[in-house]
Each structure stands twice: as C-alpha cells, then as structure tokens.
C-alpha cells in the first residue's frame, strides 16, 4: 500500500514580482519500509518539501496524502513524526521529561506511556544522558533525542531534516542503525541530508532536488552497485580531457582528470586504450562504486546544460 | 520483541492523559525559567519585607490591590513562557491533540507554580480583606486571565515583548480611576481608547472590584480573557507559519 502520495504538489511564496517558487509541481509515491533520501544543494527545496509532507507548511497547489489522509490535517499529523533543522526542544527540560511529555500524548494508558518512554530511550540509546537538561546536550545527543521524538510521534511516517548531519562517526553509526530498525518495522522514513555517504548506506531510494524540482528519482541500491573508472591525468592530458568527456556517456571532469561510468559494456581497459589512442597521458587509474555525489553532479550538469 | 511491540502502536492518547502531560509540561516550562523564578523571588521578598515591617504599621495597611498586582505580575511573566516561539509553540502543534487541551493544560500548570508563591507573599503581607477564600478565587481568576493575555500575545510578538506588554498593562491597572479620567480629558478619541482599554483589559482593579462587590460582570470580563487566550492558542497552533519563528531568547 502507498504510504505517501505526492501529486503535483508545489509551494510558492509571495506574488507578482516577489514570487518565489520553492518547490515546483512534484509527484512521487513511497511505501512503508522505504528509506527515502532527499539530496540537493542548499536552497534546492528539500526542507520545504519535507515541511509540505509533514504538514508544517501549506501547499500552494497539488496534493500530499499520507496513508490516504491530506497532509496538514490533524489525522495526518498524528501519524507523522517531523524533526526540523535544528530540532526544537525546550532546553530547560531534561530529555526524560521531554519524552514523558511526548509519550503522554501517544499512549492510551499510563503504563503504556512508561513503556513507550523506556522504548524511546532504548531505541536511540539515550540512557547515559537522558536525565540531563537538553540545553547541555551536544549535537549528537540532540540528534538522537530528535530521532526518538520523531519515532514516538510518527507511527507511520518519519520526516527527518538533517538528522544525520554534523555528528561524529560513532553516533552516526548508531543513528543509522536506529533508522534501519524503524524502516524494518514498516515505517516510511524520509531523510534530507547533505551527508551523502550516510544516505548511500541507508537509503533504498534517493530523490535529487535542484532549484525546487525533483530532477532524479533513483534506486539507491542499483545505482551504488554501478562502478566508475577514475582516471588521473597529467598536465597535458587535462587539456585533452574533453575528448574523453565526449567519447564516454556520463563522463564528468574531476579536479585532476575524468570520472567515467563503467556502464553499457564500457571497461577500464577500454578507457585506458582510448587514452593511449588519443595520446592522453594517464598518471593513475582506479575503479570505485558510484556515489550519490555523482548523481548530484550529473543532475547539476544537466540542469546547467538545459 | 519489545521494540516491535511498542513501535507500531498508533493508539491515540486519552484526553485526560494528554491534558495531564500538558499540565506537567506547563509547570516545568514556568518553574525552570529564570525570569519566572526571579519574579517569584521578588514577590516573596516583598512579602517578607512587609512582614518584618509589621511592627511599624497597623495591620491591614496593605490593600488587596497589592495582592492582585503581585499575582498579575507573576502571571504575566509565567504566561509569556507557555507558548514562546520555538519549542514551546512548535510542540503545541506536533503533539496533535484536541485544540483546547494544550492551552488549558499549560495554563493550569503555570497557575500551579505561581498561585502558591503569590499566596505565601500575600499571607505575609496581612491584607485588609477578611475573606481568604474569595481573595484566593479572585487572585486565581485574575492570574488565569492575565496569563491568557500574555500567552496569546507570545506566538506573534515573542515572549519578551508579550511579557513586557502584559506587565505594562497590569501596572497601568493600578493607576487610580481619577488619574485615568484626568489623563483622558484631552481629545475624545484618546478618552474613548483609554476608557475602552480600561474597561476591557484584565486589570487588577477589576479583580479588586470582584472581591468587594462580587459583580458578575467583573467575573465575566476576566473569564472572557481566559477564553480568548485558549481560542488564540487553538488558532495559533493550527498556523504552521508561526512555528518557524526561531526563539532568540535564552531558556
């Protein structure tokens, strides 16, 4: 069953000459259990799209339906857990007090509230610091509390804005584990982040946004299993790299050479053979798996080209 | 298994549990705030000062208006914290409950903190009024009305401005009626505006008159302000744009 259906949803601020299109008409669908990454440069419309889904901002046109309910309605908001960037918490409360408050609104019985509170603490591994005031929390602690809050509030959909950003690798690993657990249990998670490597490991699907448009919707698992040949070119070779960019579909320039996708039967041997034929000196070569950064660069390139 | 058991629970909280959560949250927001704590300390200091100077003056030298000023001041400061832009306001929308549960619960939580403090200060002052029950009821009604005014302003103007505006209102309410009339003798428009505000705002003189005359109109005006506060927050919580105001004030 489709958990989230976005149908030509758009967000426009202002009117006339001051009109600003934050999100152009966008359509996509997501199912429970998916982890959908939303990537794009700053100002691409990621946060606005997430707020539209969470019902935190009114939609100018189109529709967003969550479990068949219109986004922003009370019924829809009661199944969505949203964490903004930065997450908003009352600093004067302890993490435990905050979670008790949240759980009080999502439990049907005082005993269930206590159990949920404990569950949230275990879920995000908050044991060590949950008794401290939130204003004393580090970024990583705040992000863990944010995830626990969203998990308690959102029974079906979790919308997380930059929850994986700015944290140390160990905390990031823990958060990724928690996100994966929530998805395994059937929830839909939509995560906007600039941490592309984290999304690569987590996402089942990635939406690429540029200038308010979803320009690419890719299956992350399939995409990241594709390989790329990276050729490092010496000085004179760099002058001739346009030949390689024209010769291989999807090839992009890097700081010191070119990056060529090994798709459509293209092999590393073939790329080096072409370099030899074109008398382009290659300093070094390596093969790596494609990264989300490649999608972003490709999308930006296409956007600039059009 | 514990994880799976709780993570798919979608049951809505019963209303009573939600209101209780809001009462506790309101109490914590108010009790943990430095400005409110400072106001409470000053109120208690005022009471203590009055009690040690008791020998120098006759009992009953303080009028009930002093009690209303104290409780009004505490309510203005406390009310401004309940829906301050930032986490307090955002949470009112995110918890998703019946619209009146959040303002009513938090208001009750705030009163649980400020009324005992005001009561201690007032007891120490030995007021002239002999009926403590009526005095307590009038103080509670005024406190709820003033806190409602303060909390209804906070989402749009910010908590500091809301607090300052409400405090100014409360203190202006201590000006004698004759002075107000003298002030408004100039232009008819000023006179109209001053009298309108004087008669509609939840001012200490009205609580004082409620205590003295038991006039239903006075109770009605104060109760109307409580309703206005609850309705305003019910509306504000349904306006997502207000949630994006970032709090620039320290906790």
């Amino acid at each position: 069953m489709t958990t989230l259906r976005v149908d030509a949803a758009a967000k426009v601020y202002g009117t006339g000459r001051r009109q600003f299109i934050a999100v152009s008409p966008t359509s996509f669908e997501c199912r429970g259990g998916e982890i959908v990454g939303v990537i794009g440069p700053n100002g691409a419309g990621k946060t606005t799209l997430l707020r539209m889904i969470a019902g935190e901002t009114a939609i100018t046109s189109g529709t967003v339906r969550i479990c068949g309910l219109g986004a922003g309605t009370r019924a829809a908001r009661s199944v969505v857990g949203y964490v903004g960037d930065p997450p908003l918490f009352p600093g004067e409360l302890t993490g435990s007090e905050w979670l008790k408050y949240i759980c009080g609104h999502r439990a049907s019985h005082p005993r269930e509230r206590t159990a949920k509170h404990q569950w949230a603490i275990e879920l995000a591994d908050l044991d060590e610091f949950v008794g401290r005031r939130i204003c004393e929390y580090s970024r990583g602690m705040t992000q863990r509390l944010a995830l626990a809050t969203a998990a308690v509030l959102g029974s079906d959909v979790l919308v997380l804005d930059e929850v994986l950003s700015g944290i140390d690798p160990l905390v990031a690993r823990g958060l990724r584990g928690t996100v994966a657990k929530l998805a395994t249990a059937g929830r839909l998670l939509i995560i906007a982040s600039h941490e592309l490597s984290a999304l690569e490991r987590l996402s089942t699907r990635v939406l690429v946004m540029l200038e308010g448009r979803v320009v690419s919707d890719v299956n992350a698992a399939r995409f990241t299993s594709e390989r790329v040949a990276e050729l490092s070119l010496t000085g004179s070779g760099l002058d001739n790299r346009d030949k390689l960019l024209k010769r291989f579909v999807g090839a992009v320039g890097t700081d010191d050479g070119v990056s060529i996708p090994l798709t459509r039967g293209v092999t590393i041997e073939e790329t080096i053979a072409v370099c030899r034929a074109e008398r382009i000196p290659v300093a070094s070569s390596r093969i790596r798996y494609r990264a989300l950064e490649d999608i972003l660069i490709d999308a930006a390139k296409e956007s600039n080209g059009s | 298994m514990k994880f799976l058991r709780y993570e798919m629970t979608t049951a809505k909280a019963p209303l009573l549990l939600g209101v209780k959560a809001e009462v506790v949250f309101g109490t914590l927001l108010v009790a943990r705030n430095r400005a409110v704590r400072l106001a409470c300390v000053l109120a208690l200091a005022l009471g203590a000062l009055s009690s040690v100077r008791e020998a120098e003056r006759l009992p009953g030298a303080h009028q009930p208006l002093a009690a209303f000023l104290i409780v009004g001041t505490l309510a203005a400061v406390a009310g401004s914290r309940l829906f301050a832009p930032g986490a307090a306001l955002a949470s009112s929308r995110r918890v998703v409950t019946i619209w009146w549960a959040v303002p009513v619960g938090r208001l009750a939580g705030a009163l649980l903190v400020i009324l005992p403090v005001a009561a201690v200060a007032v007891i120490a002052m030995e007021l002239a009024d002999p009926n403590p029950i009526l005095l307590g009821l009038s103080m509670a009604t005024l406190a709820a009305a003033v806190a409602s005014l303060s909390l209804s302003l906070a989402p749009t103007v910010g908590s500091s401005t809301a607090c300052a505006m409400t405090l100014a209102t409360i203190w202006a309410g201590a000006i004698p009626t004759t002075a107000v009339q003298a002030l408004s003798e100039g232009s008819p428009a000023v006179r109209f505006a001053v009298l309108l505000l004087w008669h509609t705002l939840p001012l200490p003189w009205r609580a004082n008159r409620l205590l003295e005359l038991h006039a239903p109109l006075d109770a009605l005006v104060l109760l109307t302000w409580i309703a206005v506060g609850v309705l305003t927050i019910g509306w504000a919580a349904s306006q997502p744009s207000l949630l994006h105001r970032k709090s620039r004030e320290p906790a």
Side-chain angles (χ1 to χ4, degrees):
Chain A
M1 184 197 157
T2 304
T3 305
L4 170 68
R5 187 191 297 270
V6 178
D7 190 9
K11 177 70 186 177
V12 179
Y13 292 104
T15 52
R17 278 192 295 176
R18 299 188 69 182
Q19 190 181 68
F20 172 69
I21 301 170
V23 175
S24 302
T26 300
S27 302
F28 60 90
E29 288 181 5
C30 304
R31 291 168 177 272
E34 277 189 305
I35 301 174
V36 181
V38 183
I39 63 170
N42 290 329
K46 303 185 296 293
T47 297
T48 307
L49 179 66
L50 261 56
R51 282 179 178 165
M52 287 161 70
I53 293 168
E56 295 284 314
T57 190
I59 298 161
T60 310
S61 62
T63 56
V64 176
R65 299 194 81 77
I66 296 153
C67 303
L69 308 159
T73 59
R74 253 187 72 194
R77 282 191 287 122
S78 66
V79 298
V80 177
Y82 172 68
V83 174
D85 178 33
L88 292 173
F89 295 121
E92 57 267 50
L93 267 64
T94 65
S96 180
E97 287 164 348
W98 169 254
L99 285 175
K100 272 182 193 157
Y101 165 67
I102 293 294
C103 293
H105 282 285
R106 285 294 185 277
S108 55
H109 191 274
R111 259 179 305 181
E112 192 192 337
R113 184 194 58 196
T114 310
K116 273 199 167 204
H117 176 253
Q118 193 54 38
W119 169 77
I121 290 171
E122 285 171 20
L123 174 76
D125 199 14
L126 306 172
D127 262 330
E128 286 173 24
F129 54 86
V130 76
R132 281 163 57 185
R133 290 201 181 180
I134 298 171
C135 58
E136 298 169 5
Y137 282 14
S138 66
R139 169 104 184 172
M141 293 170 180
T142 309
Q143 302 296 61
R144 278 147 78 177
L145 182 64
L147 189 55
T149 303
V152 172
L153 287 175
S155 56
D156 292 302
V157 181
L158 271 70
V159 181
L160 312 172
D161 195 358
E162 296 294 352
V163 164
L164 302 170
S165 304
I167 47 179
D168 70 63
L170 292 175
V171 173
R173 188 177 173 176
L175 282 181
R176 287 201 305 269
T178 308
V179 167
K181 259 195 254 181
L182 290 165
T184 307
R187 295 192 201 191
L188 165 65
L189 287 104
I190 301 171
I191 307 170
S193 183
H194 290 296
E195 293 290 325
L196 302 184
S197 58
L199 284 182
E200 269 165 24
R201 295 184 193 190
L202 265 179
S203 309
T204 53
R205 204 173 140 192
V206 176
L207 304 176
V208 184
M209 291 196 75
L210 275 177
E211 294 166 356
R213 289 175 296 125
V214 175
V215 293
S216 190
D217 181 350
V218 294
N219 180 322
R222 201 168 58 201
F223 178 82
T224 51
S225 67
E226 291 172 4
R227 294 180 307 162
V228 174
E230 280 193 338
L231 305 182
S232 181
L233 308 176
T234 54
S236 59
L238 281 171
D239 299 336
N240 295 322
R241 75 172 165 189
D242 282 352
K243 290 177 184 169
L244 295 174
L245 297 178
K246 281 179 191 161
R247 171 76 174 75
F248 295 105
V249 178
V252 290
T254 58
D255 289 343
D256 63 343
V258 289
S259 173
I260 301 167
L262 298 178
T263 53
R264 300 185 181 97
V266 176
T267 61
I268 183 98
E269 290 79 11
E270 187 186 341
T271 59
I272 291 171
V274 170
C275 289
R276 249 186 233 134
E278 297 287 347
R279 296 183 178 278
I280 300 171
V282 177
S284 65
S285 65
R286 72 181 182 109
I287 297 177
R288 64 164 174 83
Y289 285 102
R290 286 192 83 182
L292 286 179
E293 193 180 330
D294 298 322
I295 306 185
L296 199 56
I297 291 168
D298 289 350
K301 204 173 141 190
E302 276 174 31
S303 178
N304 289 338
S306 64
Chain B
M1 287 311 289
K2 199 174 177 185
F3 177 85
L4 290 173
R5 189 153 38 114
Y6 291 113
E7 78 83 57
M8 292 307 285
T9 307
T10 56
K12 262 191 196 166
L15 186 58
L16 201 62
L17 209 56
V19 173
K20 186 188 161 195
E22 289 298 339
V23 172
V24 175
F25 191 60
T27 305
L28 290 171
L29 280 178
V30 169
R32 297 273 171 83
N33 184 261
R34 279 194 289 259
V36 182
R37 286 203 300 245
L38 181 63
C40 288
V41 168
L42 290 176
L44 292 173
L46 199 63
L49 198 65
S50 298
S51 67
V52 295
R53 291 185 63 195
E54 198 60 36
E56 297 172 22
R57 60 170 174 75
L58 293 170
H62 288 295
Q63 295 302 309
L65 193 61
F68 294 126
L69 271 173
I70 288 174
V71 80
T73 303
L74 290 176
V77 182
S80 67
R81 300 306 312 170
L82 298 176
F83 293 93
L89 180 59
S91 61
S92 68
R93 180 175 166 82
R94 300 215 174 117
V95 293
V96 190
T97 183
I98 193 158
W99 64 272
W100 56 263
V102 178
V104 168
R106 289 191 195 178
L107 191 58
L111 293 182
L112 284 178
V113 176
I114 58 171
L115 284 179
V117 175
V120 170
V122 168
I123 288 166
M125 288 170 80
E126 274 195 50
L127 296 183
D129 189 79
N131 193 333
I133 295 171
L134 276 179
L135 177 66
L137 281 174
S138 307
M139 281 172 64
T141 315
L142 179 72
V146 171
S148 292
L149 172 64
S150 187
L151 67 84
S152 61
L153 289 171
T156 42
V157 300
S159 62
S160 295
T161 312
C163 180
M165 286 167 75
T166 316
L167 281 177
T169 304
I170 291 303
W171 292 337
I175 299 171
T177 318
T178 47
V180 173
Q181 281 172 345
L183 276 173
S184 59
E185 269 172 4
S187 89
V190 172
R191 184 184 169 82
F192 175 77
V194 168
L195 289 179
L196 185 71
L197 290 172
W198 189 256
H199 284 100
T200 51
L201 287 172
L203 301 179
W205 71 262
R206 195 170 280 284
N208 199 27
R209 202 172 76 169
L210 176 66
L211 181 68
E212 285 173 0
L213 306 175
H214 317 309
L217 179 69
D218 296 321
L220 186 69
V221 169
L222 295 176
L223 292 173
T224 303
W225 275 104
I226 300 172
V228 166
V230 172
L231 286 168
T232 309
I233 291 303
W235 170 82
S238 68
Q239 303 299 310
S241 56
L242 289 173
L243 304 180
H244 303 315
R245 284 175 54 97
K246 298 260 181 356
S247 177
R248 283 165 294 182
E249 293 141 10

